Amino acid sequence: MGMHTDDDSHDLKRVKYDVDDDGDYVDVDDDYSSGLRLGDFLNPMIPTSIVVSDAMEPDFPVIYVNKVFESVTGYRADEVLGRNCRFLQYRDPRAQRRHPLVDPVCVSEIRTCLDEGIHFQGELLNFRKDGTPLVNRLRLTPIYGDDGVITHIIGIQVFTETKIDLNSVSYPVFKETVSNQPTARESEYTEGPEMCGILQLSDDVMAQNILSRLTPRDVASVGSVCRRIRQLTKNENVRKMVCQNAWGREVTCALERMTNKLGWGRLARELTTLEAVCWKKLRVGGAVEPSRCNFSACAAGNRLVLFGGEGINMQPMDDTFVLNLDAVNPEWRQVSVKSAPPGRWGHTLTCLNGSWLVVFGGCGKQGMLNDVFVLDLDAKQPTWIEVYGGGPPPPRSWHSSCTIEGSKLVVSGGCTAAGVLLNDTFLLDLTMEKPVWREIPTSRVPPSRLGHSLSVYGRTKILMFGGLAKSGHLRLRSSEVYTIDLVDEKPQWRVLECNAFTGVGTQSAVVPPPRLDHVAMSMPCGRVIIFGGSIAGLHSPSQVFLLDPSEEKPSWRILNVPGEPPKFAWGHSTCVVGGTRVLVLGGHTGEEWVLNELHELCLASRQA
């Protein structure tokens, strides 16, 4: 994998190869013993960029790049699609010609190989979008259609940074040049689609070492250019493996039931494109009584759980209700618990490992609280158990909380009994025998706030949005977005700059207005949905916003969702059930509190 150097000049060259009796690729030039090999490109420890170009169109325009390409080169997919990949030879995105240090002989050989429909493999000087020089270890492979005509070119690239004198007058001097003419053995493999080196691999190797490392979007794109890969990507086990590697084991387990109806391929497509998203009013039996507001709800598997709230005359409630959506006729029922936490409102309720619930903080008869209680819903006799964590956060309400890695409770912000807004962040690991609260110190903290939301994506990353935030001596609604990754050695909150997306179809370009008391949900693919809240002005709170915080330049999208949306969108609670069902419970109509109405935002089709 090393660079070939001679007096600081970089030997970037094309390397020919042949196929031995075992079907493995070997170098034709025996003297070039350190040449590139197929294994260099398929090493699972090295990120591999994949580019697909359309050979049926003039100048081989790029029709697909994977995330590794975007990450390494700094170019987004929308900046690349439709262009020839030669722009990587330009140090400045605005340049009109390649950099003088790019070897014209190597460029000519690439052009010849494309014209003649044969493989190319070699090294070429490229540049990141910011001008950083890279060595591109490149492999180009033609893909044939059923009629024997080349339809696409797959480029596999391994990029490495290089220190090179960019003030040199011209490209380096090469010691040797390899002929473009293929050997008889190589020519034999140019007559059909089996020439592709990747296709020499077994299905198991291709699935586990290549396809499984791509995202569902990437797999769908790569499968569109090759019949064998397309057939392989139709395998449900391969599709599940792709989704699991992209979304995590916990998420795919939650989605397992949906795949019995849709299959992993269709489910991944619908969650990516949101083509099937719609509102539905969900009619269930039973009721949560007595009526209340300022309760908290969460999902535990396919069950919707509600705890506490503010009853008549500000009475703090301490009861627990469950709605089992697996039942033939779902209905609310009160859970008979052996003991219950003190009644409260303005608290948070979150789920741990599928069946455990955890309550933190809120306001009760004794004032503000900072206690922690857990409940196992699957126990024969459910019992709320208090967890005495050392060094707890100050008592508070109207804070936000979430759980990461299935067992760690994170609490942020809120309001004290004196009305002081908070901006701290605490973590409690509930897997420890004696849990201890740990404040997460950060040099940059968001302004103090209440009524904001925390959403988990990427297992350990948290997105904070909105709330009533302190701005100087004022308290104003916020539309700021902050993120933090708790797996970092020194986690830091950072501002996430978000723009409006120029939308098409069901997605339009709008930046969400400032708000508080809204709800935020994380989708299986890592995107975050924002809905409702207390919004100033004439903006509609029933709009649904979408944000992908993992994008290089995140953009807000507004979803134009058909169906029957909630008539109210403030003071409600929401959660994601089964990975594809966003349930909205309760809210305020502007005149009264409504509790026993349930709406569902369907992220995927539910019919077989």
Side-chain angles (χ1 to χ4, degrees):
M1 294 293 291
M3 290 294 301
H4 309 293
T5 61
D6 181 27
D7 297 331
D8 295 329
S9 67
H10 293 260
D11 190 5
L12 309 181
K13 64 180 70 179
R14 175 191 172 204
V15 180
K16 286 176 55 183
Y17 56 91
D18 203 346
V19 184
D20 63 16
D21 294 336
D22 295 326
D24 296 326
Y25 280 79
V26 297
D27 294 332
V28 172
D29 190 348
D30 293 335
D31 295 333
Y32 190 59
S33 59
S34 58
L36 302 176
R37 299 178 184 275
L38 181 61
D40 293 338
F41 294 93
L42 303 181
N43 189 330
M45 302 303 294
I46 300 176
T48 301
S49 165
I50 297 177
V51 178
V52 180
S53 297
D54 190 345
M56 306 294 287
E57 295 291 333
D59 206 28
F60 301 91
V62 174
I63 62 172
Y64 165 78
V65 295
N66 69 348
K67 290 290 187 182
V68 174
F69 178 94
E70 295 179 281
S71 174
V72 174
T73 67
Y75 287 95
R76 302 191 312 273
D78 58 70
E79 298 176 296
V80 173
L81 301 184
R83 304 172 62 185
N84 185 286
C85 218
R86 70 172 66 90
F87 65 86
L88 290 175
Q89 300 166 23
Y90 307 159
R91 190 182 181 197
D92 190 317
R94 295 163 294 185
Q96 299 300 312
R97 60 173 57 186
R98 66 174 179 262
H99 192 275
L101 288 181
V102 177
D103 179 14
V105 177
C106 189
V107 173
S108 177
E109 290 180 351
I110 292 176
R111 186 180 301 113
T112 299
C113 290
L114 292 176
D115 291 342
E116 297 180 2
I118 61 177
H119 280 263
F120 172 87
Q121 183 169 303
E123 297 180 353
L124 184 67
L125 180 64
N126 282 175
F127 296 91
R128 280 200 184 104
K129 186 177 181 179
D130 63 7
T132 303
L134 301 168
V135 172
N136 179 0
R137 302 168 68 85
L138 174 65
R139 180 188 182 96
L140 298 176
T141 300
I143 299 298
Y144 291 77
D146 295 339
D147 55 1
V149 175
I150 296 176
T151 60
H152 299 83
I153 302 293
I154 293 183
I156 302 178
Q157 303 165 317
V158 176
F159 291 102
T160 54
E161 289 192 12
T162 179
K163 294 182 179 179
I164 189 170
D165 183 7
L166 296 176
N167 295 318
S168 297
V169 177
S170 61
Y171 59 90
V173 178
F174 294 93
K175 293 185 298 182
E176 55 180 287
T177 302
V178 182
S179 170
N180 280 338
Q181 297 299 320
T183 64
R185 181 74 171 178
E186 189 175 7
S187 298
E188 176 184 342
Y189 281 86
T190 66
E191 298 176 357
E194 294 304 318
M195 178 185 178
C196 178
I198 294 180
L199 298 183
Q200 301 293 325
L201 302 172
S202 68
D203 286 352
D204 287 344
V205 172
M206 193 183 303
Q208 300 207 23
N209 291 356
I210 300 177
L211 296 180
S212 69
R213 302 178 188 278
L214 304 178
T215 66
R217 163 184 167 269
D218 294 343
V219 169
S221 300
V222 172
S224 68
V225 302
C226 177
R227 182 171 58 182
R228 180 185 167 198
I229 295 180
R230 182 168 64 250
Q231 291 299 321
L232 189 58
T233 58
K234 289 182 178 180
N235 183 286
E236 279 297 287
N237 291 328
V238 172
R239 288 174 168 176
K240 179 181 179 180
M241 185 165 50
V242 169
C243 293
Q244 183 168 294
N245 285 343
W247 302 338
R249 185 180 298 274
E250 183 178 345
V251 171
T252 49
C253 287
L255 295 172
E256 191 84 47
R257 184 169 304 182
M258 284 297 297
T259 61
N260 296 332
K261 300 178 181 180
L262 299 179
W264 284 105
R266 181 175 174 183
L267 180 61
R269 188 190 76 219
E270 292 188 357
L271 289 177
T272 300
T273 64
L274 294 177
E275 61 193 58
V277 65
C278 66
W279 280 111
K280 292 182 179 179
K281 187 169 183 178
L282 195 60
R283 292 172 173 82
V284 299
V288 177
E289 294 179 344
S291 184
R292 68 198 67 199
C293 62
N294 298 328
F295 55 86
S296 188
C298 73
N302 282 327
R303 293 169 291 186
L304 180 60
V305 185
L306 179 151
F307 173 77
E310 180 183 352
I312 300 175
N313 298 323
M314 301 181 66
Q315 176 69 25
M317 314 295 289
D318 65 354
D319 43 8
T320 307
F321 290 83
V322 171
L323 178 67
N324 186 1
L325 296 170
D326 283 339
V328 177
N329 298 306
E331 63 177 11
W332 285 105
R333 66 175 183 86
Q334 185 172 353
V335 180
S336 176
V337 297
K338 190 173 181 180
S339 63
R344 65 194 67 203
W345 69 80
H347 55 288
T348 54
L349 177 71
T350 50
C351 182
L352 302 170
N353 295 324
S355 65
W356 285 82
L357 305 172
V358 55
V359 165
F360 172 78
C363 182
K365 289 183 177 180
Q366 294 78 28
M368 295 295 181
L369 303 167
N370 63 348
D371 49 3
V372 178
F373 286 82
V374 296
L375 173 74
D376 183 3
L377 271 182
D378 292 337
K380 291 183 178 180
Q381 176 58 65
T383 303
W384 284 102
I385 301 172
E386 186 168 6
V387 176
Y388 295 95
R396 67 192 66 201
S397 65
W398 310 118
H399 53 280
S400 189
S401 70
C402 62
T403 54
I404 63 170
E405 298 180 320
S407 60
K408 297 175 182 177
L409 175 66
V410 179
V411 173
S412 165
C415 181
T416 68
V420 177
L421 299 186
L422 301 169
N423 65 352
D424 50 8
T425 304
F426 284 82
L427 182 144
L428 181 67
D429 188 349
L430 291 166
T431 61
M432 299 175 61
E433 183 178 353
K434 294 182 178 180
V436 177
W437 283 99
R438 176 170 64 90
E439 185 172 6
I440 301 174
T442 61
S443 58
R444 298 182 300 273
V445 295
S448 304
R449 65 191 61 214
L450 59 80
H452 55 295
S453 60
L454 296 182
S455 305
V456 179
Y457 67 100
R459 292 188 59 81
T460 61
K461 299 176 182 178
I462 298 175
L463 182 141
M464 175 191 294
F465 173 75
L468 184 68
K470 187 175 181 180
S471 178
H473 64 284
L474 300 176
R475 295 184 179 184
L476 302 174
R477 293 177 177 87
S478 170
S479 60
E480 297 170 323
V481 181
Y482 295 86
T483 63
I484 190 172
D485 190 348
L486 295 182
V487 78
D488 291 343
E489 183 177 354
K490 294 182 178 180
Q492 295 289 337
W493 284 105
R494 65 181 183 88
V495 178
L496 193 65
E497 299 292 343
C498 304
N499 301 311
F501 172 77
T502 304
V504 294
T506 60
Q507 302 180 9
S508 304
V510 175
V511 175
R515 65 192 64 207
L516 75 152
D517 293 339
H518 56 281
V519 292
M521 300 77 68
S522 297
M523 292 180 57
C525 48
R527 291 178 290 181
V528 175
I529 292 176
I530 303 293
F531 172 71
S534 172
I535 305 173
L538 300 177
H539 299 287
S540 171
S542 61
Q543 291 175 326
V544 179
F545 293 89
L546 183 71
L547 180 69
D548 187 347
S550 63
E551 291 179 339
E552 181 184 1
K553 293 184 177 180
S555 299
W556 284 106
R557 296 161 171 84
I558 182 171
L559 294 182
N560 302 313
V561 184
E564 187 178 356
K567 297 178 181 178
F568 41 84
W570 172 55
H572 52 305
S573 189
T574 196
C575 54
V576 178
V577 174
T580 63
R581 307 175 66 184
V582 179
L583 298 184
V584 178
L585 173 65
H588 198 276
T589 65
E591 297 179 355
E592 62 178 345
W593 290 98
V594 176
L595 174 59
N596 290 304
E597 281 197 21
L598 199 59
H599 286 77
E600 177 181 349
L601 179 63
C602 306
L603 303 179
S605 305
R606 296 184 60 187
Q607 68 272 16

